[in-house]
Amino acid sequence: CVVLIFAYGHFYRFWTTQDEWRLSHLLLVIQQVLVGFFFITRQAPTAVSWRPWDVVVALLGTFAPLFFSLENKGDPKVLGFVLQMIGTGLSLYAIVSLGRSYGILPAHRAIQTRGAYRFLRHPLYAAYQIANAGFLINHPGIHNLLVAGVCLLSQVLRIFAEERFFASSTSAINIWHRR
């Protein structure tokens, strides 16, 4: 439901804004629709980490970007826009690569080694940070800097939580872990 509200907000901004940066809103709509679709149709996991720390960092990493503020918009900068487009494009690639293995909490689903996951172990988190850096360039301020810091820290902690969870699991995941 939150994803759909977020997607609607970006669609509204895309539809009502006539500036040269509106494409970023359309890409975010596509991203959020894909996230919603794959979240709803995801494979049932064989195991999920319900450790309180894992839950907190997963939720923080997922929802912290919702606290970015558009209010302190500086002059649009090409570099910020380009980074947002690259980050969002790469996140679309990573989300499609994950497909029905998409989830929020560390969980055992099908291991992805194709697409973006052929190159990086956590390409979606890397893509999010690229997009966040672009957003921060175009929307500078202490508030957004703090949100970006929380996003980065929560994704790093999320990676550690996932790696720990995967390392203690089935042999197929351990084979991937050793790559």
Side-chain angles (χ1 to χ4, degrees):
C1 184
V2 171
V3 169
L4 293 177
I5 293 169
F6 191 67
Y8 172 77
H10 282 287
F11 181 75
Y12 179 79
R13 287 191 64 89
F14 167 76
W15 195 259
T16 60
T17 304
Q18 297 302 317
D19 66 20
E20 64 272 15
W21 312 106
R22 65 189 284 226
L23 177 61
S24 65
H25 296 293
L26 183 60
L27 286 177
L28 286 170
V29 169
I30 294 167
Q31 177 194 52
Q32 294 307 306
V33 167
L34 281 173
V35 164
F37 173 76
F38 285 128
F39 186 78
I40 291 169
T41 63
R42 70 188 183 275
Q43 293 176 336
T46 57
V48 176
S49 175
W50 289 104
R51 288 181 51 174
W53 180 253
D54 294 355
V55 172
V56 168
V57 296
L59 292 175
L60 196 57
T62 301
F63 297 111
L66 297 177
F67 292 96
F68 276 121
S69 172
L70 293 170
E71 296 305 314
N72 48 356
K73 183 175 184 177
D75 292 328
K77 295 167 184 65
V78 173
L79 176 61
F81 178 73
V82 168
L83 286 174
Q84 281 185 276
M85 293 299 92
I86 290 171
T88 304
L90 289 173
S91 73
L92 288 172
Y93 180 44
I95 291 166
V96 170
S97 298
L98 264 178
R100 294 184 58 226
S101 293
Y102 182 86
I104 293 175
L105 297 175
H108 296 192
R109 291 185 177 88
I111 299 169
Q112 298 305 317
T113 58
R114 62 180 176 76
Y117 289 82
R118 186 174 64 190
F119 306 108
L120 288 174
R121 286 175 50 152
H122 298 280
L124 185 55
Y125 303 153
Y128 286 159
Q129 298 316 307
I130 294 168
N132 289 350
F135 184 88
L136 191 57
I137 289 170
N138 282 339
H139 300 274
I142 296 298
H143 173 85
N144 283 341
L145 181 61
L146 291 172
V147 172
V150 168
C151 290
L152 176 60
L153 179 61
S154 62
Q155 295 299 6
V156 169
L157 294 173
R158 195 174 185 182
I159 288 169
F160 284 126
E162 289 177 5
E163 292 294 323
R164 181 191 32 72
F165 182 70
F166 295 151
S168 66
S169 63
T170 65
S171 60
I173 291 174
N174 285 328
I175 290 169
W176 169 240
H177 195 309
R178 287 191 292 267
R179 282 182 69 191

